[in-house]
Amino acid sequence: MEIFLTVILIIAAILALYITVATYTVKIKKIPISSPKIPKEFDGRKIALLSDLHDAKLSGFSKKKLLEKTAETKPDWIFLGGDMHEIREKDEKFFSLLDDLKKIAPLCYVDGNHDARLRKYPDYKNYVAELEKRVENLHGKTALCIGNEKIDLYGCG
């Protein structure tokens, strides 16, 4: 019985360590995209996609690391793909992160299922007003434009 309990405790400790490391690790994956449908004006342009932060990287070292890694990619736009923010008590930290990201590149945002939980608060309209001062909220259709060329974007929260 002692060996079984020891094995369970070791597995639990390894799992806890993995979850902690994964939560505070910033991963960059470069994916080149080519298509004859993309106008030539967009050649060489970069988009950074951030998603599923779940408020985890909003303070201290992890925020700094996230900003540094994002800036290193030199994106032309930053897309925020949902599940970025879900805890109202962390609004100011979230808005601070957006303000810092906006210094790197323009932001395009769509809600994820966790972000949608914020809708239950009575002052949700005020929250959205603050959010939309910082991001292009992709509630429906919009476009990335360079000169006379564009790429249509669709956001579905």
Side-chain angles (χ1 to χ4, degrees):
M1 184 69 173
E2 282 183 37
I3 289 180
F4 178 72
L5 185 57
T6 302
V7 169
I8 295 296
L9 289 174
I10 290 171
I11 291 171
I14 291 170
L15 182 59
L17 179 63
Y18 171 77
I19 290 170
T20 301
V21 170
T23 298
Y24 293 99
T25 300
V26 178
K27 299 173 189 171
I28 295 177
K29 186 173 185 178
K30 296 180 181 183
I31 304 171
I33 298 173
S34 62
S35 168
K37 295 180 180 182
I38 300 174
K40 292 192 185 303
E41 286 80 1
F42 289 87
D43 284 354
R45 300 296 179 141
K46 295 179 187 174
I47 296 170
L49 171 66
L50 304 177
S51 72
D52 295 280
L53 294 183
H54 296 280
D55 291 315
K57 299 188 180 1
L58 299 182
S59 60
F61 176 75
S62 56
K63 177 184 173 185
K64 181 180 177 188
K65 189 174 180 182
L66 175 69
L67 293 169
E68 287 172 357
K69 291 283 192 179
T70 303
E72 280 176 22
T73 66
K74 298 184 171 109
D76 295 287
W77 301 277
I78 300 172
F79 288 6
L80 306 173
D83 292 348
M84 298 288 291
H85 176 53
E86 60 190 271
I87 303 169
R88 283 305 303 266
E89 292 76 26
K90 293 188 177 185
D91 279 359
E92 290 306 313
K93 287 183 178 184
F94 177 62
F95 292 143
S96 173
L97 175 66
L98 295 181
D99 291 338
D100 290 338
L101 287 169
K102 195 172 179 176
K103 293 174 188 171
I104 298 169
L107 304 175
C108 296
Y109 178 88
V110 66
D111 285 342
N113 62 312
H114 289 266
D115 304 278
R117 294 176 184 166
L118 300 173
R119 294 180 188 149
K120 69 181 178 185
Y121 291 98
D123 62 341
Y124 178 70
K125 287 184 181 182
N126 295 334
Y127 165 78
V128 171
E130 282 299 311
L131 176 70
E132 290 180 350
K133 289 179 186 177
R134 296 162 171 88
V135 302
E136 174 75 28
N137 201 342
L138 303 178
H139 288 299
K141 181 180 172 185
T142 191
L144 291 179
C145 299
I146 298 177
N148 293 326
E149 297 295 334
K150 71 176 185 165
I151 296 175
D152 290 327
L153 300 175
Y154 299 87
C156 179

